[in-house]
């Protein structure tokens, strides 16, 4: 890296092109909970050299977080939704009481903690790879097109929200998807060949909203619709829905004390506002009003007094 930096400096490109090196999550000895993130003991001296270079040149630390591999090695019940940006109860870091609503943030923050533990708080992080395979062996039932689409769509929505991670709030981490194409000639498991958004013949495996010739969510309802909880949803699930929606970067201040929609101070009312705001902000996709089968679309405007429920993305941004 230093030789490459010297060459760039000699060509007067040193301040324009950044030099770094990519790392897998295996460089960490601890990543759960995120606040305990530390580098492998035998790698500390090496990482000091890497990070010293990053710090001196202003280049980022590059990491490849893969919730897929974490789940693949530990497919415990209830863990999949956490990995796929779906509605879940979240996981609390006992060291700082921060609740994480998805594993991507947890893995990135584990890397952040590892950097901070060595004194490199100012070195930024870039995600150079992350993805989820759309096909796999019989022993990997979680490798399907629907699951891959959920991961990529959830990730893109999360990044577009600019919510950041709990340890880096409001800061968007540059993130690169792996991969553009399936690697049909690659050796190994089927899943290793199936991370692509596209097949080798250039046809799409699925669309996560990035195809240029697609209209913005053509499946969105033509008329005003609002996302609200179904009848009979438990308080526990309503709270989970609030945590999930508000943890994705939307502005939930209207349901905070003193907010226009705080009264009535009930979980049902607060959940309805948060769930609808999540639905409208993210493009009014049917899957954004699912909430583990606890939500439904309604044509009845739930707004009341000074509390306005937005009915489209524009209203959601200005509400």
């Amino acid at each position: 890296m230093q030789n490459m930096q010297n060459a760039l400096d000699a060509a007067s490109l040193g301040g324009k092109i950044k030099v770094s090196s990519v790392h897998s999550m295996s460089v960490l000895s601890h990543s759960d909970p995120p606040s305990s993130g530390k580098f492998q003991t035998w790698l500390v001296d090496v990482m000091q050299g890497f990070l010293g270079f990053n710090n001196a040149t202003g280049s980022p630390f590059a990491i490849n977080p893969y919730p897929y591999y974490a789940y693949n090695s530990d497919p415990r019940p209830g863990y999949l939704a956490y990995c796929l940006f779906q509605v879940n109860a979240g996981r609390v870091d006992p060291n700082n009481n921060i609740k994480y609503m998805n594993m991507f943030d947890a893995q990135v923050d584990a890397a952040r903690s590892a950097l901070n533990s060595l004194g490199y708080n100012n070195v930024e992080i870039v995600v150079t790879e992350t993805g989820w395979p759309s096909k796999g062996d019989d022993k990997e039932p979680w490798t399907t097109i629907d699951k891959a689409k959920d991961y990529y769509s959830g990730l893109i929505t999360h990044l577009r929200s600019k919510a950041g991670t709990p340890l880096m709030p409001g800061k968007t981490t540059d993130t690169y998807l792996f991969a553009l194409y399936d690697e049909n000639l690659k050796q190994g498991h089927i899943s290793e060949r199936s991370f692509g958004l596209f097949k080798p013949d250039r046809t799409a495996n699925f669309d996560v909203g990035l195809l240029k010739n697609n209209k913005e969510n053509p499946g969105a309802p033509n008329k005003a619709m609002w996302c609200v909880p179904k009848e009979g949803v438990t308080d526990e699930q309503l709270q989970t829905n609030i945590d999930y929606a508000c943890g994705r970067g939307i502005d939930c201040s209207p349901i905070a004390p003193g907010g226009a929609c705080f009264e009535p101070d009930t979980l049902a009312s607060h959940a309805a506002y948060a769930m609808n705001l999540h639905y409208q902000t993210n493009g009014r996709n049917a899957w954004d009003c699912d909430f583990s089968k606890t939500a439904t679309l309604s044509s009845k405007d739930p707004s009341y007094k000074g509390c306005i429920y937005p009915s489209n993305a524009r209203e959601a941004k200005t509400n």
Side-chain angles (χ1 to χ4, degrees):
M1 289 197 304
Q2 188 60 61
N3 288 340
M4 188 173 290
Q5 185 67 47
N6 292 341
L8 289 170
D9 290 342
S12 300
L13 295 172
K16 299 177 181 179
I17 300 175
K18 301 298 183 182
V19 178
S20 191
S21 183
V22 179
H23 307 85
S24 73
M25 289 295 293
S26 64
V27 299
L28 303 183
S29 61
H30 297 85
S31 61
D32 187 25
S35 61
S36 69
K38 286 184 173 56
F39 290 108
Q40 299 277 5
T41 303
W42 62 276
L43 279 175
V44 169
D45 289 343
V46 176
M47 298 313 300
Q48 286 279 15
F50 272 119
L51 293 170
F53 175 88
N54 293 144
N55 191 52
T57 61
S59 62
F61 175 76
I63 190 76
N64 294 346
Y66 274 94
Y68 160 72
Y69 287 119
Y71 184 78
N72 210 34
S73 64
D74 184 16
R76 70 183 76 168
Y79 205 34
L80 187 57
Y82 178 67
C83 294
L84 292 175
F85 294 92
Q86 296 173 340
V87 177
N88 65 93
R91 291 166 61 87
V92 176
D93 186 325
N95 296 328
N96 53 25
N97 208 34
I98 290 175
K99 177 181 280 191
Y100 283 83
M101 299 307 297
N102 66 80
M103 184 178 283
F104 176 83
D105 280 355
Q107 290 187 330
V108 172
D109 273 359
R112 176 77 272 161
S113 295
L115 267 63
N116 293 354
S117 72
L118 295 183
Y120 292 99
N121 302 56
N122 296 325
V123 173
E124 296 195 1
I125 292 174
V126 61
V127 172
T128 39
E129 279 187 26
T130 189
W132 196 282
S134 60
K135 294 190 294 291
D137 302 325
D138 292 341
K139 295 181 179 179
E140 299 175 301
W142 44 86
T143 53
T144 67
I145 285 180
D146 286 343
K147 296 294 189 293
K149 184 175 181 178
D150 284 345
Y151 181 75
Y152 288 113
S153 298
L155 173 65
I156 291 168
T157 297
H158 181 51
L159 294 172
R160 282 177 171 169
S161 76
K162 298 183 179 180
T165 71
L167 294 187
M168 296 180 286
K171 183 176 182 59
T172 300
T173 301
D174 287 345
T175 300
Y176 294 84
L177 305 182
F178 184 86
L180 187 58
Y181 293 102
D182 284 339
E183 300 175 283
N184 59 315
L185 300 180
K186 189 175 183 179
Q187 300 298 311
H189 296 290
I190 294 173
S191 56
E192 288 296 319
R193 304 194 290 270
S194 307
F195 278 86
L197 301 180
F198 294 85
K199 301 180 180 73
D201 64 4
R202 295 185 293 182
T203 60
N205 280 317
F206 47 83
D207 179 23
V208 291
L210 299 178
L211 297 182
K212 184 177 180 180
N213 61 346
N214 278 8
K215 296 179 180 179
E216 184 176 352
N217 189 14
N222 293 323
K223 61 181 181 179
M225 298 292 285
W226 291 266
C227 180
V228 296
K230 291 180 179 178
E231 293 290 336
V233 178
T234 66
D235 285 352
E236 181 181 7
Q237 184 63 54
L238 290 172
Q239 185 62 60
T240 295
N241 293 351
I242 293 171
D243 292 342
Y244 174 78
C246 296
R248 300 288 293 271
I250 62 173
D251 180 14
C252 286
S253 60
I255 57 175
C261 302
F262 179 69
E263 297 292 346
D265 182 14
T266 66
L267 282 174
S269 178
H270 292 178
Y273 183 88
M275 292 161 65
N276 181 65
L277 188 59
H278 170 81
Y279 169 71
Q280 306 294 349
T281 300
N282 289 305
R284 307 176 77 219
N285 301 290
W287 57 82
D288 288 316
C289 187
D290 183 89
F291 291 90
S292 297
K293 312 301 180 186
T294 65
T296 187
L297 290 174
S298 171
S299 59
K300 182 179 179 181
D301 186 354
S303 301
Y304 59 93
K305 296 181 181 178
C307 176
I308 306 300
Y309 280 59
S311 60
N312 55 55
R314 179 179 54 80
E315 292 179 3
K317 291 179 180 177
T318 58
N319 200 42

